[in-house]
Amino acid sequence: MRAAEGSKSITKILYYLFLIYTFCAVLYTANYFYHTYTSEKAIPDVLPQSNDLKGINIQSANSGKDAIKWGGMQDVMTEEFFLSKVFAESLQPTQVIPYYFRAQGTPPKEDITITTLITANRFKVFDRLVNHYKGPISVTIHVNDVPHKRNALLAQLNDLYHGNPLMKKFVDVHLVIDKFERQFNMWRNVAKFFARTDYVMMLDVDFYLCTNFREKILNDERLMNMLRAKNTGIIITAFEYVNQADGYEHEKFPKTKTDLLKQVQAGQLDMFHAFWWRGHGSTNYTRFYEADQLYKVTQYQHHYEPYVIFPKDSPWCDERFIGYGANKAACLFELYLSGVDYWVMPDDFLIHQSHEYLENARRMERKYNKKLYDHFREELCFRYARNFINSGVWSTSVAKNLKTECNKIRGFNQAIKYFSSLES
Ligand SMILES: *[C@@H]1O[C@H](CO)[C@@H](O)[C@H](O)[C@H]1NC(C)=O
């Protein structure tokens, strides 16, 4: 009994030592990120010439808004080299080819680019999305780096792109070429990195856009101001057919909320992935059915992975999440922690179009990603807390989401109290 208690308290001490160690490590990292990211002005826009290092003007006149001028570096830095660092967190070697196809013209800054990922077996459904959305789309296409596969895919892609004039009008295609099966979050970052508008919508390509939410949002000054304030993510609620066979015929999908509700009441349509409530349940579908105006998500939990429109200037998806499970949730967790609240559009919705899933790969990868996600959340909580405390926003609404989510982590509160006491 005693021995057990002794080892228990040793475990406890080790646990706290570990906590302190983690905290210090995170402080160090956070401090670095804090200095790099919180102050736009701290980043020199013009890289110094190599013989002019002492002359860096930290309070640079164009304050981070203009294009980076590469100083003397254009002589030595290829695009490939530059991009290998931009996506250095991803599995290497991976080659990124931005704008393999580039849409003609430039979309207005204040527009919503759909950012998505496709593989060759989704080309048809992608074509449908392009026809239907009629707005900017930035798509990452993974190319398996095996010569015969690569050439076949690129030929198919060429046909797809040149076979539809709306592609040329709206779609930017970026390639990721490597020998890995998938690295979802890196692909997402590529699509967002090269999106040419201020707002993006992270969407899975299989969804049918039943309503024109883009027009609605762009013409709604209140919504636009919320997006401009960079503290808002706008959710379009997702549905699927209970009977998968009904999900193939998009012509029969409802286009108005009234028609949607009829099919929901008839038991034909249900929330997306009803078997996994945590994925979409925070939207509160009961509330959605009744809603006639925008409402805020009040039951966030970290498995929530709705389809969201948010500012391009937002945290990146963590690229350690390569496979199935938690990848999109991790992106949206960080967005939420950074101070972005989720709001649900009352009359707009998406419907999933049926297709086959790769069940085995999904099961394996989910298990691995779950572990990673547990560590990731803890790390983020400390990193953002440190940043918020030091930038003086700890007691403002910016830190509200972080406080509720991170309080769920054991030891977090004590660590923050300890840290705050050092500060004062
Ligand atoms: C979901 O929305 C309904 C209808 O507005 C409400 O009665 C219910 O309390 C909400 N559920 C939760 C858990 O907030």
Side-chain angles (χ1 to χ4, degrees), residues 101-124:
F101 289 120
R102 186 183 169 98
Q104 294 154 350
T106 310
K109 275 261 162 247
E110 289 220 315
D111 203 329
I112 301 162
T113 298
I114 286 185
T115 62
T116 191
L117 325 169
I118 52 171
T119 45
N121 58 346
R122 318 300 302 142
F123 278 5
K124 207 170 142 191

Side-chain angles (χ1 to χ4, degrees), residues 284 286-287 290 298-299:
N284 189 348
T286 317
R287 184 151 181 208
E290 298 167 356
T298 53
Q299 300 170 265

Side-chain angles (χ1 to χ4, degrees), residues 160-214:
L160 174 78
Y161 200 85
H162 291 107
N164 182 351
L166 291 177
M167 294 267 173
K168 277 172 235 167
K169 193 164 176 196
F170 292 119
V171 181
D172 291 332
V173 175
H174 320 291
L175 304 184
V176 172
I177 306 177
D178 60 37
K179 293 190 164 67
F180 309 106
E181 281 91 0
R182 56 190 80 86
Q183 24 183 351
F184 290 133
N185 278 1
M186 184 264 188
W187 299 350
R188 290 200 170 94
N189 284 346
V190 169
K192 189 175 100 163
F193 191 74
F194 297 110
R196 294 192 265 158
T197 60
D198 287 348
Y199 312 108
V200 292
M201 177 187 202
M202 200 162 81
L203 184 70
D204 288 347
V205 71
D206 315 309
F207 280 89
Y208 188 78
L209 313 177
C210 298
T211 59
N212 193 345
F213 54 82
R214 172 169 163 259

Side-chain angles (χ1 to χ4, degrees), residues 53-82:
L53 279 173
K54 274 185 233 135
I56 305 175
N57 179 5
I58 299 288
Q59 305 288 331
S60 157
N62 55 358
S63 67
K65 298 291 186 208
D66 290 352
I68 297 171
K69 296 179 189 70
W70 291 104
M73 293 179 81
Q74 70 266 40
D75 304 332
V76 290
M77 191 176 295
T78 61
E79 180 186 271
E80 193 179 340
F81 185 75
F82 173 69

